[in-house]
Amino acid sequence: MDERKLGVTTTTQNSISGSAVITGPVVMAGIVESLSLAPAPPIVTPRQVPPATSLFVNRTAELDRLQSVAAALRTSQAPGIVVLSGLGGVGKTQLVAQWAARVLEPSYPGGHLYADLEEGRRDGASDVGGVLAGFLRSLGVHPDFVPGELGERTALFRSVTAGRNTLVVVDNARQAAEVRPLVPAAGLLVVTSRTGLPGLVMDGAVAIALEPLDERAGVELVRSWHDVTDSGGAAETLVRLCGGLPLALRAVGEWLVRRPQLGLKDAVLALGVDGLPRSEDGTTSLDTVLEMAYEGLSDQARQLYRLFGCLPGTTATADLAAAAGVPAVEEAAGELLTAHLAVVVGSQDGPRRFRPHDVVRAHTRRVASVLPETDRRAVLRAVADFYVAAAAHADVLVLGAGRFRLQEFPEHSVEELSTGERMFTDRAAALEWLDAERGNLLALLRAAADERWDETVWRLCESLWALYDGRKHHLDSVEAHGLGIEAARRCGRADAEVRMRNQLARAHYGLGSFEEARNALAAAEPLLDQVTDTRLKGMIRETQGLVALASGAPEDAYALFAQALEANSARQDTHGVVVQSYNIAQSLLAAGRAQDALDVLSEARVTAVDARDDGMLPRIDLVQARALQRLNRLGPASEAAFRAAEQAHKWKQYVRLDRALSILSELATSTSDARLREACETKLRELHRGVGVTPGDGRDDRAV
């Protein structure tokens, strides 16, 4: 075959980026040295622990105890673990916040990480993998280099935190197993829980129980309120009736601030002689105080409070609340924040998200439960419509408008869905929005499935592929697409069911569960005769081919990719043709047919260039480099690897840039080209510093 058709020559001369011409490894090394990587983002040391409030008194003894424990743990070679247990509303999180703000800042320069496990809890299990992914990104790891599996994320987290003392605060843990992966390699893990977590104590954790405020401490807190009068021991009585719980006392304080004509005796009378009732498990219930606080809110704040009770998930943005009919959202949210009934969560770069305290959340649901069923369903419908439209817009930004989609484009634009600034404006922001809403979106899918809103379910699943595949949330994807399959089946959409089963298979493929992937694809086979768009058949064959290739059956993969190519050719889907040609070449290379792979890649590259499908060029050139290397044509192989590096650099495909430079370094070693090898190794070190990993971290080598 004419090597010029492959884009390489025996003299290692080739045109790169228009008129630039390279001749031999010396010039190639110079160009590698001059590749200017985007500077690593500024090192922002995370400070995620909730802020300390000014109204904090009477925990001096507890702060001293925590500090002495931390000081003792710092002398150990192993990271320290502290378990802070106590009733809901007793002030565990605020005590840790005060501790971090007053004492821990200089001791843990590696950063302060925070996660509330209750936010990602589903059916009792917490999303530890999602927490780790967020921690890694906060510590500077590029999202593309965050591994997909929990074990790999745990290992990378320990690698990243080694040598940098890091404080990790985890709220609302229920069992030791969900906390162990979050222990930093160096630093301190502080866990709050309503139980003592004896499993962690067996691991060497220091257990500290936080008791309610005693009478003296509680009275001091009460008397810290402004313009509150006391008489006849009302403060002592109020502390007793509130069970010494700071959350309850602050809620009463807010109730009084809104009623300047009243005093502490009036609050005592409002609580009643029995004070806070007891729950069935014997713990204190805050319902009485929360009911007082709720009744004292403005109309819009009460409406936002009820919305929290209707939401399937745990957080809400102003955009969502407005879509659900809450008026004056910012004012309503400010009122709940002032009353300590809600907190702000989320990154500074994204939209603000509001979340009620976990104790308050239970009360919001009880308040919402007395609403007429039609009203609650209307709110849920508005929430569902908002998320379906917003997720569809995010999907388009992340995966591009050219992606084959079954659903129609949303009726409302992103601007119409946004109450203030646009929710997201580019690919990165859209993916961050999806990730921040991940728990809410999965909770909505469950609720919509219960309501039999089948169109909502499968459409949302189709859009969420941008998130689940892009951020490797494969377990979420498995659950979501199980719901999507049932929804598509109920509404008689064979095409949607095929897509759901294919995306389910891709999730299993991402998890390495190849048998489950094959089962999902086999269930789609009988449906293919019912669909008219051949691209759906092509999707199934492509995924079957990927599973076969990963399972060590390259000849089977070749036959399946060939069918996928035929299906895409029938629809004149040029991008699909390029992708399947690339897949065919991979299977040929795996089968030991390197020259046949080169023949296919030659045509695929021409097609990609003509179609300006530039994103595929690094992938094609990487396989081409491997094929040429197998044929011991090291000069042309180096040229192909260089082209892959240059294109990956241009399109900011950092994982493929990593692979291309690694291959080029291997080839330089084989040809004893010290300068080119050093240039590649230097650039790899620069790349790894920029993406926050060490060589090899976060790389999936199933396909190049």
Side-chain angles (χ1 to χ4, degrees):
M1 168 171 269
D2 186 350
E3 288 184 324
R4 288 171 297 180
K5 189 177 180 183
L6 298 176
V8 295
T9 69
T10 55
T11 60
T12 67
Q13 178 174 332
N14 193 35
S15 176
I16 305 295
S17 289
S19 61
V21 177
I22 65 172
T23 306
V26 174
V27 175
M28 195 182 300
I31 295 176
V32 169
E33 291 166 349
S34 67
L35 282 178
S36 111
L37 295 175
I43 298 176
V44 178
T45 304
R47 291 291 183 267
Q48 300 175 349
V49 177
T53 64
S54 57
L55 285 178
F56 185 84
V57 298
N58 301 309
R59 292 297 193 188
T60 304
E62 289 86 346
L63 284 170
D64 289 344
R65 166 70 170 144
L66 287 169
Q67 180 54 15
S68 64
V69 167
L73 290 172
R74 277 197 295 274
T75 64
S76 172
Q77 296 296 319
I81 305 175
V82 174
V83 178
L84 187 63
S85 61
L87 296 172
V90 79
K92 300 184 292 296
T93 302
Q94 188 52 220
L95 177 61
V96 175
Q98 295 287 338
W99 185 29
R102 297 183 186 187
V103 179
L104 297 181
E105 179 70 28
S107 302
Y108 297 96
H112 298 178
L113 301 170
Y114 173 81
D116 183 350
L117 296 186
E118 205 60 37
E119 289 183 19
R121 197 174 296 284
R122 294 153 200 158
D123 298 329
S126 62
D127 180 20
V128 181
V131 171
L132 280 170
F135 282 176
L136 289 169
R137 292 195 300 271
S138 297
L139 292 171
V141 177
H142 191 281
D144 290 349
F145 283 78
V146 175
E149 296 182 0
L150 176 60
E152 293 175 343
R153 289 180 180 178
T154 302
L156 181 55
F157 178 63
R158 292 189 60 77
S159 296
V160 171
T161 55
R164 52 188 291 182
N165 279 336
T166 306
L167 171 67
V168 180
V169 177
V170 177
D171 260 342
N172 292 309
R174 295 187 186 178
Q175 52 188 330
E178 64 188 15
V179 175
R180 290 190 179 105
L182 306 177
V183 179
L188 178 66
L189 171 67
V190 181
V191 184
T192 75
S193 177
R194 296 192 185 183
T195 65
L197 298 180
L200 283 184
V201 176
M202 294 293 293
D203 292 347
V206 177
I208 299 176
L210 186 61
E211 301 295 337
L213 297 173
D214 60 23
E215 183 179 285
R216 180 191 59 79
V219 168
E220 186 178 343
L221 176 60
V222 170
R223 288 177 177 165
S224 68
W225 304 336
H226 297 294
D227 301 323
V228 173
T229 58
D230 185 16
S231 62
E236 289 83 351
T237 303
L238 185 61
V239 172
R240 177 178 57 80
L241 294 178
C242 287
L245 297 179
L247 180 64
L249 289 167
R250 289 194 183 97
V252 172
E254 180 65 24
W255 184 83
L256 284 171
V257 167
R258 292 179 175 279
R259 295 164 176 78
Q261 76 279 11
L262 301 181
L264 292 181
K265 291 182 66 176
D266 300 290
V268 169
L269 291 173
L271 276 172
V273 295
D274 295 328
L276 300 188
R278 292 279 175 174
S279 302
E280 291 182 2
D281 60 1
T283 60
T284 303
S285 169
L286 294 174
D287 279 7
T288 303
V289 172
L290 293 176
E291 196 64 36
M292 288 173 57
Y294 170 72
E295 292 298 333
L297 297 172
S298 66
D299 288 343
Q300 64 260 28
R302 283 201 298 269
Q303 195 165 340
L304 180 57
Y305 194 91
R306 292 193 298 271
L307 173 63
F308 281 123
C310 295
L311 290 176
T314 58
T315 65
T317 61
D319 298 327
L320 173 64
V326 177
V329 175
E330 291 294 343
E331 291 83 351
E335 201 172 327
L336 295 186
L337 293 172
T338 301
H340 305 287
L341 297 174
V343 296
V344 177
V345 296
S347 65
Q348 296 179 348
D349 297 332
R352 287 202 309 168
R353 288 177 171 77
F354 307 102
R355 174 181 62 82
H357 186 283
D358 57 319
V359 173
V360 177
R361 184 185 300 122
H363 183 257
T364 67
R365 289 174 178 161
R366 283 190 283 275
V367 170
S369 68
V370 303
L371 294 173
E373 178 65 18
T374 53
D375 290 354
R376 283 189 286 125
R377 293 186 84 248
V379 169
L380 183 61
R381 181 71 266 175
V383 169
D385 291 343
F386 170 83
Y387 275 127
V388 167
H393 284 295
D395 168 40
V396 170
L397 277 174
V398 175
L399 296 180
R403 180 200 181 203
F404 171 49
R405 295 173 176 86
L406 296 174
Q407 61 183 295
E408 297 177 355
F409 200 70
E411 178 182 353
H412 297 291
S413 67
V414 177
E415 289 79 7
E416 291 172 321
L417 295 171
S418 306
T419 57
E421 293 185 5
R422 183 170 169 167
M423 277 185 286
F424 36 75
T425 57
D426 57 24
R427 179 187 185 277
L431 191 53
E432 285 299 322
W433 181 88
L434 286 168
D435 213 0
E437 293 284 358
R438 181 165 64 96
N440 295 332
L441 290 163
L442 187 56
L444 174 63
L445 277 171
R446 293 180 183 136
D450 289 342
E451 295 287 345
R452 298 298 178 94
W453 293 342
D454 296 326
E455 287 282 333
T456 295
V457 173
W458 76 255
R459 287 174 61 194
L460 191 55
C461 282
E462 184 178 45
S463 298
L464 289 180
W465 179 247
L467 167 66
Y468 293 153
D469 186 60
R471 287 285 169 87
K472 305 182 183 74
H473 296 309
H474 301 312
L475 291 176
D476 278 15
S477 187
V478 168
E479 179 181 353
H481 287 98
L483 298 173
I485 288 167
E486 292 303 315
R489 180 186 298 161
R490 281 195 296 264
C491 60
R493 289 290 302 260
D495 54 350
E497 186 177 347
V498 169
R499 168 144 252 178
M500 294 297 99
R501 291 192 179 279
N502 185 66
Q503 293 185 176
L504 174 62
R506 285 296 187 98
H508 286 305
Y509 169 76
L511 290 168
S513 305
F514 300 141
E515 188 60 33
E516 287 85 349
R518 281 189 282 268
N519 291 338
L521 294 165
E525 282 290 341
L527 300 169
L528 293 178
D529 291 337
Q530 303 176 40
V531 299
T532 57
D533 196 314
T534 58
R535 285 174 292 187
L536 290 165
K537 180 178 180 180
M539 288 176 186
I540 296 297
R541 296 293 178 257
E542 178 186 16
T543 305
Q544 288 172 327
L546 291 173
V547 172
L549 188 60
S551 302
E555 294 292 353
D556 292 342
Y558 170 82
L560 291 162
F561 290 141
Q563 292 182 54
L565 174 63
E566 182 182 358
N568 282 276
S569 298
R571 294 290 302 196
Q572 298 183 330
D573 185 338
T574 304
H575 174 70
V577 168
V578 173
V579 170
Q580 301 315 323
S581 298
Y582 159 80
N583 285 331
I584 286 172
Q586 284 205 106
S587 64
L588 289 169
L589 182 60
R593 298 163 59 185
Q595 185 58 55
D596 290 339
L598 288 174
D599 293 341
V600 172
L601 289 168
S602 173
E603 187 173 349
R605 197 173 203 287
V606 170
T607 303
V609 170
D610 290 344
R612 297 187 177 180
D613 194 352
D614 298 329
M616 285 299 298
L617 294 178
R619 301 170 72 180
I620 291 170
D621 289 335
L622 280 169
V623 180
Q624 191 175 68
R626 285 300 192 197
L628 289 164
Q629 185 181 28
R630 295 273 182 88
L631 295 170
N632 202 33
R633 293 159 61 183
L634 302 186
S638 296
E639 288 252 349
F642 175 81
R643 280 199 312 273
E646 196 229 19
Q647 288 292 323
H649 169 261
K650 178 180 179 180
W651 297 105
K652 298 180 179 179
Q653 297 179 4
Y654 295 123
V655 172
R656 292 194 175 91
L657 177 58
D658 183 8
R659 292 170 181 160
L661 290 172
S662 297
I663 293 172
L664 194 55
S665 178
E666 287 178 26
L667 292 165
T669 300
S670 298
T671 57
S672 301
D673 187 341
R675 182 182 171 187
L676 180 57
R677 180 177 59 80
E678 180 57 30
C680 292
E681 294 300 320
T682 299
K683 196 57 60 176
L684 278 168
R685 287 192 294 270
E686 182 183 343
L687 172 63
H688 295 148
R689 284 195 300 271
V691 299
V693 300
T694 55
D697 286 334
R699 292 168 56 182
D700 179 0
D701 291 321
R702 275 203 296 263
V704 295

